[in-house]
Amino acid sequence: MTVGHDKKGDCGRGRKGVNDMKGSGSARRELFEELVTATKILLNEGILDTFGHISVRDPEDSGSFFMAQKLAPSLITADDILRFDLDGETTDNRPAYLERYIHSEIYKARSDVHCVPHSHSPAVLPYCFTDRPLRPVTHMGAFLGEAVPVYEIRDRQGDDTDLFGGGPDVCRDIAESLGEHAVVLMARHGVVNVGKSIREVVFRAFYTEQNAAAQTAGLQIGTIKYLSAGEIRTAGKLVGAQIDRGWNHWSQRLRQAGLL
């Protein structure tokens, strides 16, 4: 059956869905394991909390993506991954995240995006409910661009919503606010990063958090000299080539903690 609502709890684990993705082989299993590792990294580094999630576009079918069934992130394994179409629907009978439409609408709008994490990254949250824009303050945050856009749900949905990305219409607006940026903030809610790979979005999620913390600290000290347009362009290319170094470091931290 199609999972259209977020009614069930963290149940149904181990129940086989009808879209069992036969014939995918070791490459798909490796992709799922990398998605699980990404979840663990973001948890271990304090980016992801109980309600965050991450998805990846199917490399064999751009019209679908993979994301775990609705579970606490620390419990997710490769066997929990479901396949969704770009309407955010699945034929699997296990419970799905209500916010899956954030992912589906971004994949629908951005053919260049292959991975999407949504989090409530602690240092970034203040920029979701104040009028101070999140801007790059060091070379590691150059991918943020001149300023990170904010999706303001009140502009189209009024001031009596639950602030959730729980439907296609709202999430279509989130994708529109994202535009061609690497990050969009959801007012009074959280953060959405996008990228071309699982490793790239993990890198970006980590340094979005770090940049936010640095910017907040800098504002308490004095006047910030934000990155110039030229620095954003040049530093972004340099730093963007270092994503494997970050992945290797954070993966090793998982091993040292006995989590991998």
Side-chain angles (χ1 to χ4, degrees), residues 22-137:
K22 290 182 179 178
S24 299
S26 60
R28 180 160 289 175
R29 184 73 183 187
E30 184 177 338
L31 181 70
F32 291 176
E33 293 290 357
E34 188 166 277
L35 195 61
V36 172
T37 298
T39 302
K40 291 181 178 182
I41 288 173
L42 294 175
L43 282 167
N44 196 48
E45 300 301 330
I47 311 301
L48 209 59
D49 66 3
T50 309
F51 299 100
H53 32 76
I54 181 172
S55 67
V56 63
R57 194 189 290 268
D58 185 348
E60 299 175 3
D61 175 12
S62 61
S64 63
F65 66 96
F66 300 112
M67 186 165 64
Q69 66 163 311
K70 192 184 74 173
L71 286 171
S74 59
L75 301 179
I76 291 169
T77 71
D79 293 327
D80 296 308
I81 307 302
L82 313 183
R83 182 175 180 168
F84 297 86
D85 62 27
L86 295 193
D87 289 324
E89 303 302 336
T90 180
T91 54
D92 198 297
N93 63 2
R94 291 173 290 179
Y97 292 113
L98 184 65
E99 292 176 310
R100 63 190 180 275
Y101 300 110
I102 295 174
H103 304 255
S104 62
E105 291 301 321
I106 289 175
Y107 287 128
K108 192 182 296 183
R110 292 272 302 271
S111 61
D112 62 310
V113 169
H114 290 269
C115 190
V116 178
H118 168 55
S119 73
H120 310 117
S121 193
V124 185
L125 283 180
Y127 295 91
C128 298
F129 56 75
T130 65
D131 61 0
R132 176 76 64 175
L134 180 61
R135 298 179 60 187
V137 294

Side-chain angles (χ1 to χ4, degrees), residues 1 3-11 70 95-98 100:
M1 79 180 177
V3 180
H5 302 283
D6 193 41
K7 293 181 178 178
K8 302 177 183 179
D10 291 351
C11 60
K70 192 184 74 173
Y97 292 113
L98 184 65
R100 63 190 180 275

